[in-house]
Amino acid sequence: MSAIVIVGMQWGDEGKGKVCHFLSNWTDWVVRYQGGNNAGHTVVFDGKKYVLHLIPSGILYPDKKCIIGNGVVIDPVALVEETKFLRDREIEVAGRLFISSNSHLIFPYHQYKEGFREEVKTRIGTTRKGIGPAYEDKYGRVGIRMADYLEDDTFVELLDRNLREKKSFIERYKKPEELKEIILAKREEILPEIKEYVRETSLMLDKELAAGKNIIFEGAQGAMLDCDFGTYPFVTSSNPVSGGACPGSGVAPVCIDKVIGVTKAYTTRVGLGPFPTEIEGDLAHTLREKGGEYGATTGRPRRLGWLDIVQLKLAVRINGARKLALTKIDVLDDVKEIKICTGYSHNGQAVEDFPFSRKVLKEVKPVYETLEGWMAPTGGITDFDKLPENTRKFIRRIEELTSSKIVLVSMGKSKDDTIYIEKEGF
Ligand code: IMP
């Protein structure tokens, strides 16, 4: 029995989907514990590309089972669209996908609220999926859970209460009575399918662990989008960090064996907010094109930056991620000089720890170390010792600076473009 948490170490889009999919070989269950369909996990399986937003990537393996835990917020319409997307590709989800009865739901009024905020109030650059407002309702104790959605009377009562409470901004978009009809009609259409998936999943996980089964917790977003430790307020509304796996699934901390942090060989982020090592110009353009750096959910171009060790050290610490998966090194194959940010300076003073002051974070200047690039293709190499010498030096330097061990290196979308240095197994 083993439970591993796979988490993003940057601002999301690190390639967690591929790493989870690669390690799924050894697992029985794959569990999502936070976020919602703001995530976009890209996986290439049998030469086909899949982008999953809500359902764990383990679903692509016919013998794996998946859970959407209580910590996830679910847009029921997006959920059935995703099950249809999979079924159309001959991937059956029935009997393999289970959804926590305690998970909270996203309705159009959450998206209205978010749209209103993004357009008229504070802009965060969100995915506009209604994630933040759904978590607000959860913690404000007016949310609607899966268990409530299944019960006719309970659901109508709670929906009415929410429509009344949120009337003033719903009216900017639709008549509340009209919205109620839309939500009820959609529910009638999709409820028979959804009912099949809903379970008390924390109980299921407890039994599976007791039976010696292996579990992967698949984090969404990344450490720097964590609501508590990220670049607030430009964060998501959940806790993507490894600790979030426990309240988000109902599994106790003592059951978690390992954490693997996924980081790119450089840094990207979508949305707004501070980004100390951001680069622009030709190099950013080249890396963006080579890395296909467009958000998997929104299609927005990603902002590009050099690898930031100050930020990475924070992510290693708060996640307990002493094992790292380093992704997308092939994107740096043609870069002559590769920079690593080893520290920041602020008003001439060295800053070693990631600052949480909005002002300081905006003002810090990165201090770079420059490494010679390897100027050779890395795709298809499956043995660490066969990597170009400068690639190995780059990897060793990251390990040294972060006091972590790189256990997996990825240089392409396919499972074949992966070096598994330390066979983790389970
Ligand atoms: P929200 O999660 O839609 O509320 O968006 C909040 C911030 O998190 C925005 O900057 C989004 O671009 C970012 N974000 C949310 N999900 C992801 C993801 O899966 N990858 C990268 N960024 C994300």
Side-chain angles (χ1 to χ4, degrees), residues 23 47 57-58 84 98-99 102 110 125 131 146 186 193 201 230 232 234 241 265 272 321 325 335 355 364 371 401 415:
L23 295 173
S57 57
K84 180 172 182 314
F98 303 98
I99 299 177
N102 288 358
H110 293 123
I131 306 293
M146 265 300 174
K186 200 71 201 171
E193 178 182 340
T201 51
Y232 193 90
F234 303 101
V241 293
L272 307 172
V335 181
V364 291
L371 277 70
L401 289 166
K415 263 184 104 176

Side-chain angles (χ1 to χ4, degrees), residues 261-318:
V262 185
T263 173
K264 279 185 189 174
Y266 49 102
T267 311
T268 62
R269 76 172 297 184
V270 283
L272 307 172
F275 187 177
T277 64
E278 184 163 15
I279 49 173
E280 278 158 5
D282 287 353
L283 180 62
H285 178 75
T286 312
L287 298 183
R288 183 174 303 114
E289 291 308 310
K290 183 143 193 230
E293 296 298 357
Y294 294 86
T297 300
T298 59
R300 286 178 293 182
R302 289 178 186 141
R303 296 158 66 191
L304 273 290
W306 294 113
L307 191 67
D308 183 341
I309 299 294
V310 185
Q311 175 271 296
L312 204 51
K313 274 175 21 192
L314 166 71
V316 166
R317 176 166 65 82
I318 59 178

Side-chain angles (χ1 to χ4, degrees), residues 98-393:
F98 303 98
I99 299 177
S100 169
S101 49
N102 288 358
S103 58
H104 280 247
L105 296 186
I106 302 176
F107 294 104
Y109 51 77
H110 293 123
Q111 288 145 5
Y112 297 165
K113 186 168 189 183
E114 187 164 3
F116 175 64
R117 262 206 201 127
E118 285 287 301
E119 276 149 35
V120 186
K121 298 198 162 187
T122 336
R123 255 204 98 206
I124 303 288
T126 71
T127 59
R128 300 202 182 198
K129 301 288 179 189
I131 306 293
Y135 278 116
E136 278 174 40
D137 278 3
K138 171 176 175 172
Y139 292 105
R141 291 150 298 171
V142 294
I144 302 182
R145 301 165 310 155
M146 265 300 174
D148 307 319
Y149 194 61
L150 301 193
E151 294 173 5
D152 296 342
D153 297 350
T154 313
F155 179 63
V156 173
E157 186 192 325
L158 295 177
L159 180 63
D160 279 339
R161 200 185 297 167
N162 272 281
L163 293 172
R164 259 199 315 275
E165 185 194 273
K166 298 166 173 61
K167 188 168 178 274
S168 63
F169 70 83
I170 291 176
E171 276 172 343
R172 289 173 183 269
Y173 298 84
K174 237 183 200 61
K175 287 198 180 101
E177 314 80 66
E178 213 180 299
L179 182 60
K180 180 177 173 181
E181 290 315 309
I182 293 172
I183 293 174
L184 290 179
K186 200 71 201 171
R187 174 175 176 268
E188 201 159 305
E189 180 191 322
I190 64 182
L191 197 61
E193 178 182 340
I194 288 190
K195 259 186 190 161
E196 297 301 314
Y197 309 131
V198 181
R199 298 280 192 291
E200 213 294 50
T201 51
S202 77
L203 199 56
M204 287 177 84
L205 282 172
D206 188 54
K207 287 186 180 150
E208 293 301 311
L209 282 168
K213 297 290 183 352
N214 296 324
I215 296 172
I216 281 181
F217 290 95
E218 181 178 30
Q221 291 87 45
M224 302 318 289
L225 291 172
D226 185 274
C227 197
D228 287 85
F229 286 99
T231 40
Y232 193 90
F234 303 101
V235 293
T236 194
S237 301
S238 63
N239 288 113
V241 293
S242 58
C246 297
S249 71
V251 162
V254 289
C255 300
I256 309 278
D257 303 279
K258 290 179 210 156
V259 178
I260 298 182
V262 185
T263 173
K264 279 185 189 174
Y266 49 102
T267 311
T268 62
R269 76 172 297 184
V270 283
L272 307 172
F275 187 177
T277 64
E278 184 163 15
I279 49 173
E280 278 158 5
D282 287 353
L283 180 62
H285 178 75
T286 312
L287 298 183
R288 183 174 303 114
E289 291 308 310
K290 183 143 193 230
E293 296 298 357
Y294 294 86
T297 300
T298 59
R300 286 178 293 182
R302 289 178 186 141
R303 296 158 66 191
L304 273 290
W306 294 113
L307 191 67
D308 183 341
I309 299 294
V310 185
Q311 175 271 296
L312 204 51
K313 274 175 21 192
L314 166 71
V316 166
R317 176 166 65 82
I318 59 178
N319 282 295
R322 297 283 161 197
K323 291 172 193 285
L324 298 178
L326 183 67
T327 59
K328 295 224 176 188
I329 58 161
D330 57 307
V331 174
L332 300 180
D333 282 354
D334 308 322
V335 181
K336 267 203 194 112
E337 288 189 333
I338 297 173
K339 291 188 184 173
I340 299 182
C341 166
T342 53
Y344 299 153
S345 95
H346 185 246
N347 296 335
Q349 301 279 317
V351 177
E352 280 175 22
D353 298 312
F354 195 84
F356 289 110
S357 148
R358 298 179 196 212
K359 185 171 180 297
V360 176
L361 193 52
K362 225 192 276 170
E363 292 170 356
V364 291
K365 300 273 176 285
V367 177
Y368 288 119
E369 178 176 302
T370 304
L371 277 70
E372 221 179 289
W374 43 93
M375 303 300 284
T378 49
I381 300 176
T382 50
D383 182 349
F384 182 78
D385 296 327
K386 300 228 165 79
L387 282 171
E389 193 190 341
N390 284 350
T391 319
R392 282 181 279 136
K393 277 191 185 158

